[in-house]
Amino acid sequence: MDNTMRQTRNYNGIDLVKFICAFLVCFIHIPPFPTGNPLASSGLNFLIPEVLARIAVPFFFTASGFLLFRKLDFNNIDPEPVKKYCFNLLRLAGLWGLLLIMDCDLQLWYLGGTVVAVTMLALLLHKGAKLTFLPPLALILYLMGLLGDSWYGLTDAIRGNGAVNALFHGYDVFFETTRNGVFMGFPFVLMGAVFAKGRIKLKPVPSAVGFALSMALLTAEAYFLESGEIPRSYNMYLSLLPAAFFLFSLALGVRLKDRPVYKKLRAAGTLIFYGHYLTYALVIYALSAVRKVTEINLLPWQSFIAIAAVTAAAFAVVRLSEKEKFGWVKWFY
């Protein structure tokens, strides 16, 4: 596949999966079944946000790597597209940071992480790093990240050493988590860049089977770690590497006819990603007020009401932005 074809083809499968992943991110930050909901004790409040939904952010990173680096010559990296891409992400972070104010790290860390990851990869390629060298480096970084996240309990033994413990403590003071562009973002952005190179071509059926098996492994890994009280957090799993690989391969391999709806899904998904937690807070406030006045208790369903509200608002904003005098709204996605 030549570079011109890669730049002109529309990737509707990627847009569709990103839209679905936006809802998965909602369930990471919003408990699907809060207290009072009949399904609150079903175990789904662990399975959905801490296991199944964790595929979303790796997919976003992979898509970012693909969509940016498909435009670049790996042997002669042009820094201008990278600078423009990073500037746009930082602009989004600034605008949404002003809107969200509180708890903005829930979503906006991803923007900073993407900037770090794509900058790292661009610099390494600019300095002449070969693709044969980069995957082992990415794997090492990811394994290090696991030890600060879901596999944190494995570090108990080595943290008994004073010097090692000081190293861990020093890192925690400044960074708190390995959920960032170096340990989490870089491996998946590199994965997307490798796909952009055009050397990975799997048909949809093998990709779907591989994804299903990877998600089964992910589920088993999550429950194994949880049973041993090993995780510090649930952002990174070893099984996410193959899961993201096969899901992205599937999204890339499925050809969907060009329709205007995919462009709308792309924009609406972005707005849902950034606006869901603010909408959730407003919905809780509104439902609490309704309960006081009418004694109608809809709080057990607050998560689904919030997601329905942010979805409706997202599509309304996209529709509004299509009008000439409201074109400035596009700055928010």
Side-chain angles (χ1 to χ4, degrees):
M1 182 186 295
D2 62 53
N3 196 47
T4 302
M5 289 177 65
R6 274 186 263 135
Q7 290 190 43
T8 57
R9 176 189 160 191
N10 291 322
Y11 297 98
N12 298 321
I14 295 176
D15 288 335
L16 178 59
V17 176
K18 286 176 69 176
F19 180 72
I20 295 170
C21 285
F23 291 102
L24 294 180
V25 171
C26 293
F27 283 124
I28 291 175
H29 302 147
I30 301 172
F33 306 106
T35 302
N37 190 293
L39 292 174
S41 61
S42 66
L44 292 175
N45 273 350
F46 178 76
L47 177 64
I48 295 175
E50 306 298 10
V51 185
L52 303 181
R54 294 298 169 169
I55 188 61
V57 173
F59 185 87
F60 288 144
F61 276 129
T62 306
S64 295
F66 175 82
L67 295 171
L68 173 61
F69 285 92
R70 71 190 173 90
K71 305 174 184 178
L72 303 177
D73 180 356
F74 284 25
N75 297 317
N76 185 23
I77 291 292
D78 181 359
E80 290 307 312
V82 180
K83 290 178 182 178
K84 182 179 178 180
Y85 183 79
C86 291
F87 172 78
N88 287 335
L89 292 182
L90 293 173
R91 172 181 58 79
L92 275 173
L95 287 173
W96 280 101
L98 290 174
L99 278 176
L100 299 175
I101 301 176
M102 296 180 63
D103 296 315
C104 61
D105 182 60
L106 286 175
Q107 301 103 304
L108 300 189
W109 76 267
Y110 164 76
L111 294 175
T114 305
V115 169
V116 170
V118 300
T119 302
M120 279 179 62
L121 181 54
L123 286 174
L124 286 167
L125 291 171
H126 179 69
K127 293 297 183 181
K130 303 298 181 183
L131 282 180
T132 53
F133 162 76
L134 293 176
L137 171 63
L139 180 60
I140 291 171
L141 289 173
Y142 193 75
L143 293 176
M144 291 172 64
L146 285 176
L147 294 177
D149 199 89
S150 64
W151 288 81
Y152 182 76
L154 296 186
T155 66
D156 287 344
I158 61 174
R159 278 188 284 119
N161 179 283
V164 174
N165 189 57
L167 181 64
F168 273 86
H169 178 71
Y171 181 88
D172 285 344
V173 168
F174 289 99
F175 302 106
E176 296 183 1
T177 176
T178 54
R179 183 205 62 179
N180 55 38
V182 176
F183 299 106
M184 186 176 183
F186 179 77
F188 292 109
V189 165
L190 174 62
M191 184 182 293
V194 172
F195 271 104
K197 197 71 173 173
R199 295 177 181 175
I200 302 174
K201 295 180 181 179
L202 292 178
K203 292 183 178 181
V205 171
S207 297
V209 172
F211 175 62
L213 293 175
S214 297
M215 290 303 290
L217 286 174
L218 174 62
T219 304
E221 179 182 357
Y223 279 97
F224 165 74
L225 294 173
E226 174 67 9
S227 66
E229 300 182 350
I230 294 174
R232 183 184 191 183
S233 189
Y234 297 93
N235 300 293
M236 304 169 69
Y237 294 100
L238 189 58
S239 303
L240 277 175
L241 291 171
F245 175 88
F246 286 114
L247 179 59
F248 192 81
S249 177
L250 180 62
L252 193 60
V254 173
R255 300 297 181 95
L256 300 174
K257 291 183 178 180
D258 287 340
R259 301 183 190 279
V261 67
Y262 294 113
K263 185 176 180 181
K264 295 181 186 293
L265 290 180
R266 186 190 317 158
T270 301
L271 292 169
I272 291 168
F273 178 87
Y274 295 120
H276 67 274
Y277 199 78
L278 175 61
T279 305
Y280 178 59
L282 294 174
V283 163
I284 291 178
Y285 178 80
L287 294 182
S288 298
V290 168
R291 185 181 182 183
K292 289 180 180 179
V293 174
T294 66
E295 295 187 358
I296 297 175
N297 183 18
L298 294 175
L299 287 171
W301 303 100
Q302 61 196 25
S303 303
F304 295 95
I305 294 172
I307 290 172
V310 75
T311 302
F315 279 102
V317 169
V318 172
R319 182 70 179 271
L320 182 68
S321 70
E322 293 172 349
K323 300 182 182 298
E324 186 175 351
K325 62 180 179 180
F326 292 104
W328 56 270
V329 175
K330 294 178 181 178
W331 273 66
F332 289 93
Y333 62 83

